[in-house]
């Protein structure tokens, strides 16, 4: 006999000490140890340990088909972690159910720091996890929260279906279990079931552990320095990221998630931002380095912009943004948005405050907190929404699309040419009143200051009510190229600064007034 029989949890609470029965079973454990001193993981895989479900005086052992085992399986079904599931803490085994404790030395020498398990992914949402599971037997371990307490979930692909099995803990001894066997650590639970190919839930075994990606960083790789600001979910710091021992650390911006008072859903929302950024690489979009989800605080690590936000630059009393730079920034913003739209990402929060500038005057679209994958979606959202920047179809019916981003781009053009004024600031309406006024067309945004004709035309065509008529990001870029001689940046972000706009304007003024052709 190699397993230590464990009293059911409900009776364990009456236990004062570790069960003395362990001593008797340890002798047979030692037999195994003598045969395999320092048994290594690989050896274990080849020589699975035989475990026998032991009868207790009160509860004779039964075969897996018996109602008692069935009952355990039912319990485990409740532990299967469905979206509507309740925390299963209370659903502990009844008195007649049995678990078998497997002592650590039976499992062999295993890595006991979960962070070092290659297939442990830290805090991860279900959707992101399911996007990784593709083949039968693929599995990963992730962290979640059940009733504000950290819990581990084994996510596995089994016969074309994804299952999420919550690892449970016994009340008194705090042992980890999913089916029959209980372990001192989650690493032992995983190692034991994987190496011996014992089903850990129903008939599912752990076959192929999916390793973490390069972008799933360890907290130790990141150092936080000066605080840059604060957003809805947490703070942004300047920091350093160590990528290897051979290369110097990279200067980064690190978005940390407030540790307290955030539910698992809010954490998932925060990580959604990283999820969207993950697929993006463009000189006018903030670069993403990775996420730290192994422990608190959860962090998103991204490119550091050594300038300020466009909003701050526009509002700065010290210096005015030149006409040349206004064109440049709006062109960069259009290139960033166009790239997002080609990647089927709707940003949903285009505004000067979410455009960052670096010291080389390159504008980068940032803050993907509200972004979604897709070209058009319908979503009714409550809470704090950027009404002043939102399109009428969004305010009316919750429709978001690439066209609604373009409508917000119009608001960005307004901000740039009014030196950072917030749209509709002067109309005196707010919240729901403003929403109704925008839908009812009783307030309309106009640029009454000096502005190149072609920019004004872009602005007007971006603010059209009919989404079909609204200008596209592709067309905006073409116009900037045609009218201002702009060039897109290459991947390094070095080339493609302003072209011959001002010499062109001079030429046009000499010849005839500029008539923008917008199709
Ligand atoms: N990549 C970055 N490089 C440099 N500074 C940054 C970077 N990202 C954010 N910041 C700065 O950190 C501050 C907070 O950023 P964050 O995106 O969290 O805030 P926000 O957009 O105000 O809030 P929210 O996320 O709630 O929309 C901003 O002032 C911004 O200028």
């Amino acid at each position: 006999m190699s397993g230590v029989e464990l009293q059911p949890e409900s009776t364990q609470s009456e236990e004062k000490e570790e069960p003395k029965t362990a001593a008797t079973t340890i002798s047979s454990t030692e037999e195994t140890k003598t045969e395999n001193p320092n048994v290594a993981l690989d050896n274990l895989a080849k020589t699975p340990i035989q475990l026998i479900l032991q009868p207790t005086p009160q509860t004779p052992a039964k075969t897996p088909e018996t109602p008692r085992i069935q009952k355990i399986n039912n319990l485990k079904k409740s532990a299967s972690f469905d979206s509507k599931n309740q925390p299963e803490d209370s659903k502990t085994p009844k008195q007649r159910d049995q678990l078998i404790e497997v002592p650590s030395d039976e499992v062999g020498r295993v890595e006991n720091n979960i962070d070092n398990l290659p297939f442990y992914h830290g805090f991860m949402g279900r959707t992101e996890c399911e996007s990784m599971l593709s083949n039968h037997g693929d599995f990963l371990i992730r962290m979640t929260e059940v009733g504000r307490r950290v819990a581990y979930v084994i996510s596995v692909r089994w016969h074309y279906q994804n299952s999420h099995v919550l690892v449970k803990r016994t009340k008194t001894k705090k042992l980890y279990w999913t089916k029959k066997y209980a372990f001192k650590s989650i690493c032992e639970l995983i190692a034991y079931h994987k190496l011996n190919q014992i089903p850990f839930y129903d008939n599912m075994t752990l076959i192929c552990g999916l390793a973490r990606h390069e972008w799933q960083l360890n907290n130790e790789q990141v150092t936080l320095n000066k605080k840059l600001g604060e957003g809805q979910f947490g703070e942004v710091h300047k920091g350093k990221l160590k990528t290897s021992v051979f290369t110097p650390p990279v200067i980064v911006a690190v978005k940390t998630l407030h540790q307290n008072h955030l539910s698992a859903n809010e954490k998932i929302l925060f990580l959604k931002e990283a999820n969207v950024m993950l697929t993006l690489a463009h000189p006018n979009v903030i670069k993403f380095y990775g996420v730290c989800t192994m422990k608190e605080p959860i962090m998103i690590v991204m490119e550091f912009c050594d300038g300020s936000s466009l909003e701050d630059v526009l509002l700065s009393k010290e210096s005015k943004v030149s006409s040349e730079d206004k064109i440049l920034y709006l062109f960069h913003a259009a290139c960033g948005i166009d790239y997002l739209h080609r990647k089927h990402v709707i940003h949903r929060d285009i505004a000067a405050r979410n455009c960052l500038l670096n010291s080389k005057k390159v504008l980068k679209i940032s803050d993907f907190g509200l972004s979604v994958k897709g070209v058009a979606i319908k979503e009714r959202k409550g809470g704090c929404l950027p009404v002043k920047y939102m399109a009428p179809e969004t305010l009316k019916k919750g429709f978001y699309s690439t066209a609604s981003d373009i409508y917000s781009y119009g608001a960005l053009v307004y901000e740039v040419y009014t030196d950072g004024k917030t749209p509709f600031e002067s109309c005196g309406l707010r919240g729901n009143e403003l929403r109704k006024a925008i839908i009812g067309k009783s307030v309309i945004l106009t640029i009454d200051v000096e502005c190149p004709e072609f920019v004004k035309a872009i602005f007007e065509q971006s603010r059209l009510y009919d989404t079909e008529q609204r200008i596209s990001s592709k067309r905006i870029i073409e116009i900037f190229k045609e009218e201002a001689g702009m060039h897109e940046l290459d991947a390094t972000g070095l080339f493609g600064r302003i072209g011959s706009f001002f010499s062109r304007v001079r030429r046009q003024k000499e010849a005839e007034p500029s008539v923008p052709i917008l199709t």
Side-chain angles (χ1 to χ4, degrees), residues 138-403:
D138 281 356
F139 78 93
L140 58 84
I141 318 296
R142 62 191 174 96
M143 185 169 69
T144 188
E145 269 174 20
V146 176
R148 301 258 156 158
R149 278 160 66 188
V150 167
Y152 297 102
V153 175
I154 304 173
S155 295
V156 64
R157 181 99 182 142
W158 202 256
H159 293 306
Y160 309 104
Q161 281 196 332
N162 299 321
S163 293
H164 304 274
V165 178
L166 196 63
V167 178
K168 293 167 286 179
R169 293 190 80 178
T170 61
K171 262 187 192 151
T172 312
K173 292 179 75 182
K174 302 287 176 213
L175 299 176
Y176 296 86
W177 65 282
T178 49
K179 187 169 177 162
K180 235 194 258 185
Y181 304 110
F183 302 83
K184 285 206 170 59
S185 78
I186 182 135
C187 295
E188 287 176 7
L189 180 144
I190 300 298
Y192 189 77
H193 285 95
K194 181 169 187 322
L195 299 174
N196 298 301
Q197 283 299 291
I198 296 169
F200 71 98
Y201 179 74
D202 279 351
N203 65 342
M204 292 187 289
T205 53
L206 302 170
I207 298 175
C208 177
L210 299 180
R212 285 194 294 270
H213 296 287
E214 236 173 63
W215 50 264
Q216 289 173 298
L217 307 166
N218 274 321
N219 292 54
E220 287 70 33
Q221 287 178 260
V222 181
T223 322
L224 297 186
N225 303 122
K226 189 182 147 207
K227 182 173 159 181
L228 299 170
E230 200 156 355
Q232 192 188 343
F233 290 116
E235 295 171 355
V236 180
H237 289 256
K238 188 174 177 181
K240 282 185 187 155
L241 170 70
K242 272 183 265 159
T243 48
S244 84
V245 283
F246 304 109
T247 48
V250 186
I251 305 285
V252 289
V254 185
K255 213 168 195 175
T256 59
L257 183 63
H258 285 310
Q259 289 194 36
N260 306 320
H261 318 302
L262 282 177
S263 68
N265 275 349
E266 284 166 322
K267 285 184 184 172
I268 287 167
L269 215 64
F270 176 83
L271 288 177
K272 241 188 77 198
E273 181 169 352
N275 251 328
V276 172
M277 290 172 79
L278 197 67
T279 55
L280 309 173
H282 187 275
N284 297 120
V285 174
I286 280 287
K287 182 177 154 73
F288 170 83
Y289 287 106
V291 283
C292 302
T293 57
M294 302 296 169
K295 44 176 104 116
E296 306 277 8
I298 291 177
M299 304 189 271
I300 298 180
V301 183
M302 58 192 155
E303 172 183 1
F304 171 69
C305 253
D306 56 356
S308 352
S309 77
L310 177 59
E311 183 183 42
D312 290 345
V313 171
L314 292 168
L315 291 172
S316 167
K317 298 258 180 318
E318 285 148 34
S319 60
K320 285 214 151 212
V321 179
S322 68
S323 314
E324 187 185 14
D325 286 346
K326 285 180 180 174
I327 301 275
L328 181 72
Y329 297 153
L330 286 175
F331 175 66
H332 283 176
C335 292
I337 294 169
D338 182 61
Y339 172 78
L340 295 180
H341 290 178
R342 280 188 280 124
K343 285 286 198 176
H344 296 169
V345 172
I346 314 173
H347 186 279
R348 303 205 296 178
D349 201 7
I350 297 292
R353 66 178 182 286
N354 290 330
C355 296
L356 299 177
L357 296 169
N358 70 14
S359 54
K360 296 190 180 93
K361 293 189 177 173
V362 175
L363 179 145
K364 289 165 190 274
I365 305 280
S366 81
D367 206 340
F368 291 80
L370 292 179
S371 303
V372 282
K373 282 288 229 176
V375 284
I377 66 148
K378 188 173 180 205
E379 188 182 70
R380 276 257 174 242
K381 281 183 72 162
C384 200
L385 290 172
V387 173
K388 291 168 183 161
Y389 294 81
M390 285 162 76
E393 69 275 9
T394 315
L395 294 169
K396 204 170 168 183
K397 293 202 169 133
F399 282 131
Y400 290 92
S401 65
T402 49

Side-chain angles (χ1 to χ4, degrees), residues 78-88 91 126 146 166:
S78 68
S80 172
F81 198 58
D82 290 319
S83 51
K84 289 185 205 111
N85 83 322
Q86 290 298 311
E88 48 58 72
K91 297 166 189 164
R126 176 185 282 231
V146 176
L166 196 63

Side-chain angles (χ1 to χ4, degrees), residues 454-514:
F454 78 90
V455 176
K456 228 172 214 177
I458 290 174
F459 169 76
E460 271 152 24
Q461 297 206 24
S462 67
R463 302 292 290 181
L464 293 175
Y465 263 55
D466 184 349
T467 53
E468 297 286 309
Q469 298 288 315
R470 226 171 269 163
I471 190 167
S472 68
S473 51
K474 187 166 174 273
R475 184 66 195 130
I476 295 174
I477 292 171
E478 281 169 10
I479 294 167
F480 273 110
K481 286 181 179 172
E482 287 161 16
E483 296 293 325
M486 305 300 293
H487 299 288
E488 276 146 304
L489 294 169
D490 72 356
T492 62
L494 287 180
F495 302 105
R497 291 188 50 79
I498 195 158
S500 55
F501 170 63
F502 290 95
S503 53
R504 255 179 97 101
V505 168
R506 259 198 312 278
R507 273 204 315 274
Q508 277 170 351
K509 274 189 178 157
E510 284 161 15
E512 53 185 271
S514 160

